[in-house]
Amino acid sequence: MIGRHPFSPFRNRREPPAPTEVDLARNRLLIAAGLTAAAFTLVAFRLLDVIIMPATQSQKVERSIPITKHYVSRADILDRNGRIMATNLNTASLYANPNLIQNKAGVAAKLAAILNLNAASLAEQFESKRPFLWIKRHLTPKQKYAVNKLGIPGLDFANEQRRVYPLGSLASHVLGFTNIDNHGLKGIENKFNNTLSNSGKPLRLSIDVRVQNIMREALLNSINKFHAIGGAGLVLDARNGEILSMVSLPDFNPNLPRKAKNKVLFNRATHGVYEMGSTLKIFNTAMALEHEKITMQSGYDATKPIRTSKFVIKDYHAKNRWLSIPEIFMYSSNIGSVKMAMDVGRVAQRKFFKRLGLLNKPQIELGEVGKPIVPEPWNDIHSMTISYGHGLAISPLQLVAGVAAVVNGGVLYTPTLFQRTRLTIGSRVISKETSEQVRRLLKLVVSHGTGSLAAAKGYLVGGKTGTAEKVVGREYKREALLSSFIAAFPINAPKYVVFVMIDNPVAIKGTRHRPTGGWVAAPVVGEVISRIGPLLGVKPINQNDPSVRDQMTIRVLTMKSGEKRLVSF
Amino acid sequence: MSAFSRTDTSILGRWWWTIDRWMIAAVTLLILVGLVLILAASPSVAEKLKYPTYHFVQRQLAFLPIAILVMVTSSMMSPKGIRRTAIILFSISLFLTVLTYFFGIEIKGAQRWIGFSGFSIQPSEFIKPSFVVVSAWLFAMPKWSKYNIGHLICITLYIFVAVTLLLQPDLGMAIVVSTVWCVQFFIAGLPLIWVMVFLLTGIGGTVGAYLLLPHVSSRIDRFIDPSAGDTFQISRSLQAFGNGGVFGQGPGEGSVKSVLPDAHTDFIFAVAGEEFGLIACLIIVGLFAFVVLRGLACALREDNLFILLAVSGLLTQFGLQAFVNMGSTLHLIPTKGMTLPFISYGGSSLVGVALCMGMVLALTRRRYGARGLA
């Protein structure tokens, strides 16, 4: 046995002890052997690592094999009160191994009858040599039973899940939809595809489905009444930027996304950018007040239209006299607004609009977000038109976020579709005093101006109308309008901002009314506020209460028989 | 065990009593494991490539007797015989490899195969084991005067082989041959300063390949940052191990083989993991480790430098190939297409590995009084 065992202690007896090349080689070989042993040990440990801890690994792996045994359900989407907006249904999907099917034409005919498919094309697919073929996804239980009853070899079912939206089209533009493999293609489903498919935890939005329903219903009624082509509605919490409702019409049924045409997939609330018209006078007036170019007592001469090299700026409700600032706002005077903007200057104006987030693509948890169209360069002529809401196209989302900042005390919050868990930090854009003054002006519009139809009984509403002429082809058209209304309530201490926009309303026959923002959109806002106010726990207010009167009263300078007089509203 | 009597002095009788029977047992087990895994993995690959279901199984079974014959025959040779065979085989296969330049068949972008009435062989598979023996012989040559002629010839030959392989291009094979050759040189007593130089050259070569060869850099990028590119194969492979768990999904129940194009060759270990589980994988790793370490232990008691160098070189090659294959599958190292010895599908590879182990068996046979070799 001597020398047989490789590490035999007797080994050296056979060899003289003098160090030789072979001894060196043996020493070095020991090192090599040690490294080899280490390498194999490493493989063994890596095996343990990969197999014992597959949970951490599988997260990195995207699912693409149709049948996997370890399947995580796509997470539900909930509204702010936990109501289910999107969930899954267990279904069976039928597939075949065509190589195992004997009577191909016969089987194809039988299946086609049960599943409403084309027998000829199915038979053709059975001729393929591939071992896997989907026949139909998401069968009904009845269909599954009928297929099982046929007892055909080569057919099998895969357990799958189908995305369902129990509320149908109610929040379709927010939720989006998924494809047949549960991969999100639009809306929250698309933007949060990875989170939804991996986390398993429900995703809770800031949307309130009750508010959403009220907004959609009121908006839809108005669109039908005025034969409009579409519309958008938003309700935003002015105190933190949470979106309670986002409606864009026409919408679609996310349960049947393939039936939806491109036109209805367009989200007017976030993706569309529009020249909003007079609602931008809120920003214009706030800007002039903030820059101390005007006071509530000052005013401008609005006797004559302003003539520029290219066009003439007129007032729609022309008074042809000197107007005080509240009057300019109340009667929505373009001439007065242009003069305010000229006094502030285009550089400061651009800076102010940028600070309000109106010149950049807004942040929101959706993929369908439009970029504002900003004039480049920003000339005096743009400065003039932007003062009354033309020449700058922004999305309704940007308008709502900006107005919320102006009325809430002057702090801009990024709008969000998720509930804010911590105290949010916004950026101050105007002073508290300016904000307070603009609130009084907004109240005046509803109580005595163009927005009277937005008044909701028991609630203090302040708002502003917007009636923009749409560009058709290469010029503005007087008949094609974009009528909108933006409001905040309760206006003495705003909690919510409500926005409604109706695209291309048509005047109802037999009435003299032009379909303006005050006539078309303001009543929708009034209806929405009176219905959501109680739901959201906003207490009704007695308008004649002295403290409320004090908060909202405004002294307006006006011209009566040639001299300035002070009137209290 | 009692097929041959102790006093039987026929060729087979002497072979049986002097060969390392533990090693034979381990190699036989590896071959059996390989058969089971080829049966599990290759049918779905064959179907995808529109071959008959058992195409790869049949071909592997056809090559197996040849491989066993090669292994048994070579294991019967004397060390001198091994050396002579290796020199002849090395010359022929190097010549054929050079020929692939001019008459080769191109498969998957590389010209490595040469056609022989109906089937193709990859001559470079036979360079690997034979070059190991040839360099062992050259390293072990006694010194002539001041210069170490053997070493000089060996270095020249190595450069020639490496350039030939790189031109194919067969980077994987070049790396294996280079690593094995360096290990042999190291064991042969390369001064430590040169060891450092070689290490630095190796690192430099890797960096150079990363910078100069786009497919190498993309693989390494994907290894370091899996999100940087398409890591379909490696994620599937890791998922397969996860699916398998400790006991596996059961033979034929795996799904990775239906999506990975190389499930029967480079990724066969993943199939083993998914269908047979952790324990089977650990057994396979254990078998490879056993063969290599037992062989190296045998080499340790050798007094003959040629045999010591040849055995350790052959086993390094065998072990390195196994390590690279399993390491790639487990995302331990960047993916490098390399067969798992005795287990992956591939005729040339099987016969080449059989030759390698046959020579190891021959050189580790117990010889008494055979010290005066060469």
Side-chain angles (χ1 to χ4, degrees):
Chain A
M1 288 301 287
I2 289 172
R4 176 160 181 199
H5 191 278
F7 301 110
S8 165
F10 305 111
R11 193 184 63 196
N12 288 336
R13 285 196 192 172
R14 294 195 297 148
E15 191 71 2
T20 61
E21 270 186 318
V22 179
D23 283 326
L24 175 67
R26 281 206 194 97
N27 286 336
R28 295 218 168 159
L29 183 55
L30 266 178
I31 299 175
L35 284 175
T36 315
F40 282 111
T41 317
L42 185 65
V43 171
F45 273 107
R46 176 66 180 160
L47 265 171
L48 288 170
D49 174 39
V50 168
I51 292 178
I52 305 300
M53 287 178 289
T56 50
Q57 289 295 340
S58 65
Q59 279 190 349
K60 294 181 200 157
V61 178
E62 282 269 326
R63 199 176 82 91
S64 85
I65 315 173
I67 314 120
T68 27
K69 283 166 181 157
H70 300 274
Y71 186 90
V72 186
S73 292
R74 191 175 176 87
D76 288 353
I77 303 177
L78 310 176
D79 90 334
R80 65 186 300 121
N81 301 314
R83 295 281 287 273
I84 290 174
M85 299 177 80
T87 185
N88 308 296
L89 201 63
N90 289 321
T91 61
S93 289
L94 182 63
Y95 65 90
N97 181 349
N99 302 327
L100 299 180
I101 294 178
Q102 301 296 325
N103 172 14
K104 295 187 179 180
V107 171
K110 281 182 193 164
L111 286 178
I114 295 171
L115 304 171
N116 303 323
L117 298 171
N118 181 337
S121 78
L122 194 57
E124 196 179 303
Q125 286 179 40
F126 281 162
E127 294 305 322
S128 119
K129 287 273 173 278
R130 288 171 54 208
F132 183 90
L133 171 75
W134 280 123
I135 297 176
K136 191 170 181 185
R137 308 286 287 272
H138 306 309
L139 271 64
T140 64
K142 232 180 214 170
Q143 288 173 325
K144 186 185 176 189
Y145 174 79
V147 173
N148 265 333
K149 219 173 143 194
L150 293 176
I152 298 168
L155 300 182
D156 206 348
F157 291 103
N159 290 324
E160 288 200 293
Q161 293 197 317
R162 179 184 185 158
R163 199 69 166 157
V164 286
Y165 304 90
L167 302 173
S169 49
L170 182 61
S172 50
H173 285 286
V174 175
L175 296 173
F177 54 84
T178 65
N179 66 6
I180 200 153
D181 291 315
N182 277 352
H183 188 93
L185 294 185
K186 279 222 168 243
I188 291 281
E189 292 275 27
N190 174 40
K191 193 84 179 178
F192 290 84
N193 187 48
N194 284 339
T195 320
L196 288 166
S197 45
N198 295 327
S199 78
K201 274 198 301 187
L203 203 60
R204 199 180 263 247
L205 303 184
S206 61
I207 297 286
D208 185 325
V209 295
R210 303 168 305 172
V211 178
Q212 178 81 359
N213 188 43
I214 290 166
M215 174 59 94
R216 184 171 179 276
E217 203 177 278
L219 192 63
L220 194 59
N221 285 342
S222 179
I223 287 173
N224 290 338
K225 189 171 160 194
F226 292 97
H227 304 287
I229 58 170
L234 281 160
V235 177
L236 180 106
D237 191 323
R239 299 157 297 179
N240 55 18
E242 287 176 14
I243 294 169
L244 274 75
S245 167
M246 180 189 281
V247 179
S248 169
L249 289 171
D251 54 11
F252 55 93
N253 183 353
N255 293 308
L256 302 165
R258 270 188 287 183
K259 289 195 176 167
K261 297 202 176 70
N262 267 339
K263 215 167 69 182
V264 305
L265 294 177
F266 185 72
N267 187 345
R268 284 181 156 81
T270 58
H271 205 176
V273 293
Y274 308 92
E275 292 177 292
M276 287 289 181
S278 303
T279 45
L280 258 62
K281 286 175 187 159
I282 300 174
F283 303 133
N284 192 56
T285 313
M287 170 183 76
L289 285 166
E290 184 73 10
H291 284 86
E292 295 177 349
K293 298 290 174 195
I294 56 168
T295 67
M296 295 294 257
Q297 275 71 47
S298 60
Y300 290 99
D301 175 30
T303 357
K304 279 179 285 178
I306 299 173
R307 293 178 190 279
T308 70
S309 54
K310 284 182 187 163
F311 49 87
V312 180
I313 297 169
K314 287 182 287 200
D315 276 355
Y316 181 67
H317 310 273
K319 302 282 178 209
N320 299 320
R321 60 171 168 87
W322 181 90
L323 292 174
S324 67
I325 297 300
E327 285 179 318
I328 289 173
F329 200 76
M330 185 161 71
Y331 303 131
S332 203
S333 159
N334 292 340
I335 300 169
S337 300
V338 169
K339 289 188 172 172
M340 274 185 231
M342 299 301 283
D343 281 352
V344 175
R346 62 185 160 91
V347 177
Q349 184 193 33
R350 187 184 177 132
K351 232 176 172 177
F352 185 81
F353 274 60
K354 190 168 176 78
R355 205 160 52 180
L356 277 166
L358 302 173
L359 307 186
N360 297 95
K361 194 170 162 178
Q363 278 185 1
I364 186 74
E365 296 86 353
L366 293 176
E368 299 82 22
V369 181
K371 223 180 129 187
I373 302 170
V374 180
E376 200 63 59
W378 186 295
N379 292 332
D380 278 342
I381 204 81
H382 300 117
S383 179
M384 289 158 97
T385 58
I386 286 168
S387 75
Y388 57 89
H390 283 76
L392 169 70
I394 59 171
S395 61
L397 180 73
Q398 286 174 294
L399 177 74
V400 169
V403 169
V406 171
V407 299
N408 71 3
V411 181
L412 180 71
Y413 298 105
T414 312
T416 177
L417 284 166
F418 289 92
Q419 277 180 285
R420 295 244 140 105
T421 43
R422 276 168 294 171
L423 197 72
T424 44
I425 297 166
S427 56
R428 177 157 294 282
V429 285
I430 56 168
S431 68
K432 272 186 184 166
E433 292 70 32
T434 308
S435 172
E436 203 260 324
Q437 287 171 323
V438 176
R439 287 207 297 269
R440 287 177 194 265
L441 292 174
L442 289 167
K443 176 74 183 67
L444 186 65
V445 172
V446 175
S447 54
H448 295 90
T450 50
S452 55
L453 293 176
K457 204 176 173 193
Y459 291 102
L460 283 179
V461 181
K464 182 77 192 77
T465 54
T467 310
E469 286 169 13
K470 293 205 329 182
V471 178
V472 177
R474 296 199 63 183
E475 55 189 43
Y476 291 99
K477 225 172 162 186
R478 223 176 117 72
E479 299 84 60
L481 297 180
L482 191 75
S483 301
S484 59
F485 194 83
I486 185 149
F489 82 100
I491 192 66
N492 55 334
K495 289 185 172 155
Y496 300 100
V497 173
V498 179
F499 172 74
V500 164
M501 176 184 94
I502 313 274
D503 193 349
N504 217 351
V506 182
I508 302 169
K509 273 184 190 144
T511 61
R512 300 183 295 109
H513 291 286
R514 204 171 164 237
T516 59
W519 183 244
V520 171
V524 182
V525 170
E527 183 195 340
V528 168
I529 290 177
S530 62
R531 287 175 68 187
I532 68 173
L535 280 179
L536 296 173
V538 182
K539 283 190 189 135
I541 281 179
N542 178 5
Q543 299 209 33
N544 298 321
D545 187 295
S547 70
V548 175
R549 282 182 75 110
D550 188 46
Q551 272 183 29
M552 284 289 107
T553 304
I554 187 163
R555 292 152 161 290
V556 179
L557 264 176
T558 187
M559 295 282 275
K560 280 268 167 77
S561 50
E563 60 184 59
K564 286 181 192 172
R565 262 202 232 156
L566 209 54
V567 183
S568 273
F569 287 113
Chain B
M1 290 293 256
S2 56
F4 303 102
S5 121
R6 272 280 190 190
T7 53
D8 188 345
T9 52
S10 68
I11 295 180
L12 270 177
R14 267 198 323 225
W15 178 80
W16 179 253
W17 289 116
T18 55
I19 202 102
D20 187 353
R21 289 183 297 276
W22 280 105
M23 185 88 94
I24 290 201
V27 167
T28 313
L29 266 175
L30 276 178
I31 292 176
L32 290 177
V33 168
L35 277 181
V36 172
L37 288 179
I38 287 281
L39 264 168
S42 76
S44 66
V45 179
E47 280 180 9
K48 203 152 60 183
L49 296 175
K50 304 216 164 65
Y51 286 124
T53 309
Y54 291 107
H55 174 81
F56 292 122
V57 177
Q58 282 162 358
R59 285 180 64 101
Q60 189 79 347
L61 281 175
F63 270 108
L64 196 57
I66 304 175
I68 291 174
L69 191 71
V70 165
M71 184 159 66
V72 173
T73 315
S74 52
S75 72
M76 284 178 170
M77 290 182 191
S78 67
K80 207 177 253 172
I82 292 285
R83 198 180 68 204
R84 284 178 186 154
T85 317
I87 293 170
I88 294 167
L89 189 67
F90 174 68
S91 318
I92 296 173
S93 48
L94 186 60
F95 175 69
L96 287 177
T97 306
V98 173
L99 270 194
T100 53
Y101 252 120
F102 308 103
F103 309 105
I105 310 164
E106 194 171 313
I107 301 181
K108 291 186 190 169
Q111 232 171 18
R112 300 170 192 168
W113 286 265
I114 197 156
F116 270 113
S117 56
F119 68 101
S120 56
I121 62 164
Q122 189 186 350
S124 56
E125 278 289 349
F126 299 97
I127 289 190
K128 266 193 295 190
S130 58
F131 181 57
V132 170
V133 176
V134 170
S135 25
W137 169 55
L138 290 170
F139 280 132
M141 264 191 182
K143 273 188 190 170
W144 274 18
S145 68
K146 217 164 70 178
Y147 297 104
N148 212 336
I149 291 294
H151 286 206
L152 284 179
I153 298 175
C154 195
I155 292 168
T156 320
L157 259 188
Y158 162 71
I159 293 172
F160 186 72
V161 169
V163 169
T164 310
L165 290 176
L166 280 178
L167 285 176
Q168 285 216 307
D170 192 344
L171 188 66
M173 185 88 74
I175 288 173
V176 171
V177 167
S178 306
T179 314
V180 173
W181 186 78
C182 290
V183 169
Q184 278 184 303
F185 207 164
F186 170 73
I187 295 173
L190 184 69
L192 279 175
I193 177 85
W194 282 104
V195 174
M196 293 305 294
V197 171
F198 273 46
L199 273 179
L200 289 177
T201 319
I203 294 167
T206 316
V207 174
Y210 176 75
L211 294 176
L212 294 175
L213 305 173
H215 72 279
V216 177
S217 48
S218 105
R219 275 199 201 169
I220 292 177
D221 285 343
R222 279 180 284 168
F223 174 71
I224 295 169
D225 178 12
S227 61
D230 177 25
T231 51
F232 174 77
Q233 301 211 357
I234 198 66
S235 7
R236 281 286 156 279
S237 165
L238 288 179
Q239 201 183 30
F241 282 106
N243 277 355
V246 177
F247 300 107
Q249 297 276 338
E253 294 292 312
S255 64
V256 68
K257 59 192 181 188
S258 59
V259 287
L260 284 187
D262 291 328
H264 62 316
T265 55
D266 297 352
F267 281 95
I268 198 159
F269 196 52
V271 176
E274 186 173 30
E275 304 199 353
F276 300 94
L278 170 69
I279 294 171
C281 287
L282 287 177
I283 290 174
I284 295 173
V285 176
L287 280 174
F288 279 112
F290 176 82
V291 167
V292 175
L293 291 177
R294 183 170 175 88
L296 289 182
C298 286
L300 266 177
R301 68 171 174 181
E302 241 355 290
D303 297 325
N304 181 296
L305 189 58
F306 160 67
I307 294 180
L308 191 152
L309 287 174
V311 171
S312 42
L314 289 167
L315 287 168
T316 308
Q317 183 216 311
F318 182 79
L320 183 70
Q321 220 168 307
F323 174 75
V324 169
N325 177 287
M326 297 190 285
S328 309
T329 326
L330 287 166
H331 202 221
L332 208 55
I333 52 172
T335 41
K336 183 66 229 138
M338 210 169 274
T339 52
L340 191 56
F342 287 123
I343 292 184
S344 290
Y345 167 79
S348 298
S349 143
L350 183 65
V351 176
V353 168
L355 176 67
C356 168
M357 285 318 292
M359 294 197 291
V360 169
L361 284 168
L363 294 173
T364 54
R365 276 168 76 174
R366 265 169 293 120
R367 291 170 300 275
Y368 294 105
R371 260 175 259 160
L373 183 100

